[in-house]
Amino acid sequence: MKKLIFALTLMGLLGGHAPLTASQPVPDAAGYIVKVGDTAPDFEMKLTDGRKVKLSELKGKVVMLQFTASWCGVCRKEMPFIEKDIWQKHKDNTSFALYGIDRDEPLERVKAFAKQTEVTYPLGLDPGADIFAKYAERNAGITRNVLIDKEGKIVMMTRLFNEEEFASLCKKIDELLK
């Protein structure tokens, strides 16, 4: 009984949360739980056309992941720039891959979103935001981009849409594809 009271008291002092351990990554100021230099967490997702993509199978390519959703106003602002300045420039380069990862929305809504934003790069489904939660706190905001090099390491991460940061992202992609 004393052990139970001690445990409950300790939990109360900790706000009902277990202490942080090494297995629980601490998010940065932008909500990311991964950092530049980390191996990008692997995942498999279904694209709107029914194909499946597994990140680890893209090793050897420069990969850009864009976390997005139809309800995100900043995403809608950023997506035409991704389409024009990144996708249209590099879509024919076999060493490059770009995937929008739509957070927790049904297939038909994601297809409509692509049509509304006029993007032609592939969009994948992320039911429950489980892919997102491998990169950032599950409840953290979007839009965010993760750039991965040919070895599978994260080389750049962005949050929200900032023209200067976006220009740096475009430049970094160009450098990695040289």
Side-chain angles (χ1 to χ4, degrees):
M1 184 67 170
K2 285 182 182 176
K3 287 182 182 177
L4 177 61
I5 291 170
F6 176 76
L8 292 172
T9 302
L10 188 58
M11 283 182 68
L13 292 172
L14 295 171
H17 299 289
L20 286 177
T21 65
S23 65
Q24 293 174 309
V26 177
D28 68 11
Y32 277 109
I33 58 173
V34 293
K35 57 188 179 303
V36 169
D38 286 355
T39 296
D42 198 18
F43 61 85
E44 184 174 274
M45 72 176 163
K46 189 173 184 179
L47 301 179
T48 56
D49 66 5
R51 290 182 297 140
K52 286 189 177 179
V53 171
K54 188 168 184 169
L55 182 64
S56 58
E57 293 174 357
L58 298 174
K59 203 164 187 178
K61 294 179 184 257
V62 173
V63 179
M64 180 179 152
L65 307 176
Q66 182 226 2
F67 291 98
T68 189
S70 66
W71 45 262
C72 170
V74 179
C75 301
R76 288 178 176 273
K77 179 181 177 185
E78 180 186 52
M79 290 171 84
F81 290 97
I82 293 172
E83 173 74 21
K84 177 176 68 76
D85 299 332
I86 298 174
W87 182 241
Q88 290 303 321
K89 183 175 182 180
H90 300 293
K91 69 179 181 179
D92 295 326
N93 187 332
T94 57
S95 296
F96 180 72
L98 165 61
Y99 294 98
I101 302 174
D102 190 279
R103 181 180 170 149
D104 204 19
E105 295 187 296
L107 175 62
E108 291 311 314
R109 185 171 301 147
V110 178
K111 284 182 173 180
F113 178 40
K115 197 172 194 172
Q116 290 164 1
T117 55
E118 298 181 349
V119 298
T120 61
Y121 56 87
L123 293 179
L125 306 174
D126 186 12
D130 292 337
I131 298 168
F132 181 83
K134 291 175 179 279
Y135 289 83
E137 285 184 296
R138 189 176 297 275
N139 295 322
I142 48 177
T143 193
R144 52 182 78 229
N145 301 301
V146 176
L147 186 61
I148 303 163
D149 69 13
K150 292 178 181 182
E151 286 75 46
K153 301 280 186 199
I154 297 171
V155 293
M156 187 173 182
M157 300 183 300
T158 68
R159 170 76 178 104
L160 297 173
F161 177 66
N162 167 298
E163 288 183 29
E164 203 172 285
E165 188 176 55
F166 186 80
S168 294
L169 176 64
C170 293
K171 184 178 178 196
K172 188 71 173 175
I173 292 168
D174 291 344
E175 288 170 9
L176 291 171
L177 290 173
K178 281 184 181 170

